[in-house]
Amino acid sequence: AELKHGRVCMLATVGWIATDSGLRFAGDMFQNVSTIEAHNKMLEAGVMAPLLAGVAVVELYGGWLTLNGFEERIKREAGDFFIGKQVLPKDPEQERLMRLRELENGRLAMLAFSGICTQA
């Protein structure tokens, strides 16, 4: 759970900073909306339902992987969604270091996002 929440917070922190820096998606509905107002404005525009559906699909896949991992039908490490392994170093020590960096950066992002939300 820590790895998953760290990954989500890394994305959330970058997204919040990018939005506050003035980066926006193309389209009128995304312009002139502050980070604080974004959720309510996107609900009004009908953007959140497809986003929620996409998140639900990812969560269902994660649940399926978890159940199959508990029942030992598949060999799976924590946080492994069977995508992105090709970017890990081939050397086992370097792979271990890369995984540790991801975990530590995720912890930092959780603190950063908590601070951003508290200050906002």
Side-chain angles (χ1 to χ4, degrees), residues 1-10 106 109-110:
E2 182 182 18
L3 185 57
K4 179 180 177 181
H5 288 98
R7 288 173 176 166
V8 169
C9 283
M10 284 189 271
M110 286 188 270

Side-chain angles (χ1 to χ4, degrees), residues 8-58:
V8 169
C9 283
M10 284 189 271
L11 288 171
T13 302
V14 169
W16 194 291
I17 292 169
T19 303
D20 278 356
S21 299
L23 293 172
R24 301 284 190 271
F25 286 116
D28 291 336
M29 74 175 111
F30 300 111
Q31 308 309 314
N32 302 319
V33 177
S34 74
T35 311
I36 301 293
E37 300 171 325
H39 178 266
N40 293 338
K41 295 288 186 182
M42 296 305 108
L43 272 175
E44 291 170 9
V47 174
M48 296 301 276
L51 176 65
L52 180 61
V55 170
V57 168
V58 172

Side-chain angles (χ1 to χ4, degrees), residues 55-68:
V55 170
V57 168
V58 172
E59 289 292 337
L60 285 171
Y61 176 63
W64 179 83
L65 287 173
T66 301
L67 287 174
N68 282 307

Side-chain angles (χ1 to χ4, degrees), residues 43-119:
L43 272 175
E44 291 170 9
V47 174
M48 296 301 276
L51 176 65
L52 180 61
V55 170
V57 168
V58 172
E59 289 292 337
L60 285 171
Y61 176 63
W64 179 83
L65 287 173
T66 301
L67 287 174
N68 282 307
F70 281 142
E71 295 173 359
E72 296 181 359
R73 285 189 248 164
I74 57 173
K75 185 175 177 353
R76 176 179 176 262
E77 296 176 26
D80 184 7
F81 288 92
F82 299 107
I83 54 174
K85 282 191 174 187
Q86 64 274 15
V87 298
L88 287 174
K90 302 299 180 218
D91 179 40
E93 181 61 22
Q94 291 298 319
E95 180 182 344
R96 187 190 69 75
L97 283 173
M98 182 74 81
R99 289 177 186 266
L100 179 62
R101 287 182 193 131
E102 180 184 21
L103 188 60
E104 289 175 343
N105 287 334
R107 289 173 180 161
L108 179 62
M110 286 188 270
L111 289 172
F113 194 70
S114 298
I116 289 170
C117 290
T118 303
Q119 188 172 355

